[in-house]
Amino acid sequence: MNNGLNRGVSSGEFQDMINPYRVFRRGEPARRRRHIGDGGSLAAAGLLIACLAAQPALAWDYWGGDAGGTRFSSIAQITPANVNNLVRAWEFHTGDLTTRPEPAMARSKFEATPLLVEDSLIFCTPFNEVVALDPGTGSQKWRFDPKISTAQRPANRFNCRGVAYWVDSQAADGLACRSRIFTATNDARIIALDARDGRPCAGFGDNGEVRIDVGIKLLWPGEFQFTSAPVVSRGVIVVGSSIADNARVEAPLGTVRAFDARTGAPRWSFDPLEHRGIDAGHANVWAPISADEERGLVFLPTGSPSPDFWGGKRPGNDEHANSVVALKVETGELAWAFQAVHHDVWDYDMPAQPTLARIDTGQGLRDVVIQPTKQGFVFVLDRDSGQPVWPVEERAVPQGGAEAEVLSPTQPFPTHVPALTPQHFSANDILDFPPIIGSPSCKADLANLRNDGLYTPPSTQGTLEFPMTGGGVNWGGVAFDPLNQILYANTTNAVHIIKLMPRADADGFKPSAGIDFGRQLGAPFAMTRVVAMSGLGLLCNRPPWGTLVATDLKAGKILWRSSVGTTEDRAPLGLAFHWGTPLVNGVAVTAGGLVFTGAMDAYLRAFDAKSGEELWQGRLPVPGVANPMTYLWKGEQYVAIAAGGHSEAGTSIGDALVAFRLAREGESPSLWSRTIDRPGGRFLAGAITALLALVLLALLLWRWRRA
């Protein structure tokens, strides 16, 4: 793989781009530097050496940046001092907007993160086309279309978050399919492609593909699909699945499947849910998986059993649902499991890739698994044993579930790392907007709900669930800076109203727009779920609605919080209130001292990693609700993000991949990009234009009256 090291980069430039000590040369106080160890230079040096040895310095050859999903790049060319000199390098359109039926586009989410492999940027579209681009120009090099049907209705929308890359070390150089791209499709296929030209690998499965037998008759073809990228380790492909929530009790199993990366032959399967004495399916792994090649382990973030909001037919804790599960990748044998939610009836499944990192605990370096949750918790587990690195307490939680429900009396609470999001909601947290008038619709909607705090069980009365089922943290996961030992995460702050509906009332029920209705067939209750919003279309809770959080794991301390996103692309006249937007996507952090992220408004943003200050915004065609990535190409650092909007959130929909780089000699950011293409710029320009028009009209009227 060529990452640009032999393309005109001097040794001095190279050291300047990746030198980890840059983060200590910007006047950082000594008390912050001591995060690296116990204060001694030897500990600091040991940590730096360990971190550098674990990092593929300039690559982004996994969905999460590396096999452990740290989303960290040691490229340091773009810094807080020059980030304002970023310009758009190129913009590529997949063509979906013009070639796909409008109903299909309305059910799509472009959440892909490209890989930089084989001198190409390679990614998948929501319809599972795999595309390779020139990293410097964005021009298409090859394309593969699996021709999935757009007539199906995938339960979790048409979606493909990424692909996996693997090199067969046993194959001769130059042999077809020595390097491969694996993609998992919305119609339940695993496809192997030659990474150099996109042709199917004939020796894999049936002419390059393996079709998955779900093992149960589906209610409709889209009930089962793949959305997240596969993972490949030690010649084994491992895939989870995405399954429709709340459809039925006897639902498809959440089986994790493994196949030989060369032949496609089945290797093993693992059902996270232990079925002794219970009637349920799911506990599937819909979020991305991590791999530790050295240990031969894969780490699964498992989901909740079916259905999400009533568990009367699945008594007990439902092991190994809602857990981090470590399996031996070559055999599927269970190494360990840690359950973060007992007997889930809140849809609080593990939503994000487990992040593998080496941290300084104050008692030396330790290899850990970092698992964020929808509740905003951060569990830090020993990578070999699964035991918590810092204490986790079992605390009493609200009881009194629905008919035939037996709730767990306690739930796990980590005590060292503080929650990334608020976990309690009261009447004082309701957004009073407009001022003076307030939001009477929100007060009425929330007043009579059951609200006993975190883990309040669903009820026929209606239950206020906060954080909502979308997070806290969602599929975008967290990023970890191994040099400064800081964790970064996007979080969402919103309220869900959950209501159980007796079976007799559910027959023939037709939900209104914006209400999620689950029949939960086989249970005595159906359910409805809706985001608490005012009549003006604003979230009922006070802003910020989306926050980027930086956490010092060793100290167990939140360093800063910054709201991410504005109302510009949703509010009338482009009003840009800095209230943040819901953030299901993740971030990328660099050794240059920056954190990059998209949001539900149409900007890619850069934040100062030390202070949380928002330093730069780059305008996108539509919102970039995807994880950004960064790479070095021919001596220049690029930052790229998929800009496709988000159909579930009601944003505009697009089909673009956009890349930025620093301005070259003779270039500079345009006046338009520095003024109009900034949050609030369009509103300000419109207001000035309107004012000038009024002045001109007044002058014309004055002249007419004089005449």
Side-chain angles (χ1 to χ4, degrees), residues 395-667:
R395 296 179 183 172
V397 293
Q399 298 295 291
E403 177 188 345
E405 185 72 83
V406 180
L407 300 169
S408 172
T410 63
Q411 293 291 346
F413 285 73
T415 62
H416 177 71
V417 181
L420 302 180
T421 57
Q423 295 179 324
H424 300 277
F425 188 89
S426 70
N428 294 330
D429 298 313
I430 296 176
L431 172 63
D432 284 328
F433 189 88
I436 302 177
I437 298 175
S439 182
S441 60
C442 285
K443 293 177 181 178
D445 289 343
L446 301 178
N448 297 318
L449 299 176
R450 183 174 177 185
N451 179 19
D452 299 329
L454 188 63
Y455 297 117
T456 301
S459 62
T460 55
Q461 168 188 341
T463 291
L464 186 151
E465 184 164 329
F466 182 80
M468 65 181 287
T469 66
V473 178
N474 208 282
W475 59 261
V478 297
F480 182 71
D481 177 351
L483 307 177
N484 291 307
Q485 297 279 284
I486 307 301
L487 188 78
Y488 300 90
N490 274 341
T491 64
T492 295
N493 184 23
V495 173
H496 257 147
I497 300 173
I498 309 294
K499 190 170 186 178
L500 295 179
M501 181 183 299
R503 177 59 53 202
D505 298 336
D507 296 335
F509 177 76
K510 294 183 179 180
S512 303
I515 296 179
D516 177 25
F517 174 58
R519 295 193 179 277
Q520 299 193 151
L521 298 174
F525 303 97
M527 55 73 63
T528 60
R529 171 174 50 183
V530 63
V531 177
M533 301 185 74
S534 72
L536 295 176
L538 300 174
L539 293 177
C540 282
N541 53 293
R542 292 178 181 272
W545 298 325
T547 306
L548 173 59
V549 185
T551 306
D552 183 329
L553 291 185
K554 179 182 176 182
K557 177 182 177 183
I558 301 294
L559 299 178
W560 50 259
R561 302 178 190 267
S562 295
S563 63
V564 181
T566 70
T567 60
E568 180 179 84
D569 289 280
R570 303 294 298 277
L573 306 176
L575 285 167
F577 295 118
H578 289 264
W579 289 348
T581 70
L583 298 168
V584 295
N585 54 297
V587 305
V589 61
T590 73
L594 294 169
V595 183
F596 291 94
T597 182
M600 292 283 184
D601 62 354
Y603 295 95
L604 174 65
R605 287 176 165 81
F607 291 80
D608 189 308
K610 288 172 59 180
S611 67
E613 179 185 359
E614 184 173 334
L615 300 176
W616 171 84
Q617 310 90 22
R619 184 71 180 177
L620 303 170
V622 299
V625 189
N627 283 15
M629 56 85 71
T630 185
Y631 60 96
L632 189 71
W633 184 252
K634 296 186 177 180
E636 295 178 296
Q637 183 180 358
Y638 292 74
V639 182
I641 190 170
H646 199 275
S647 57
E648 288 174 303
T651 74
S652 51
I653 302 299
D655 63 356
L657 185 70
V658 183
F660 297 85
R661 56 162 171 75
L662 291 173
R664 295 168 178 166
E665 186 176 354
E667 286 183 328

Side-chain angles (χ1 to χ4, degrees), residues 183-214:
T183 186
T185 67
N186 289 284
D187 59 1
R189 288 179 280 165
I190 301 171
I191 299 174
L193 306 173
D194 190 315
R196 297 173 304 172
D197 57 24
R199 295 177 182 175
C201 297
F204 180 87
D206 182 8
N207 197 30
E209 71 177 37
V210 172
R211 290 185 176 270
I212 301 302
D213 179 6
V214 179

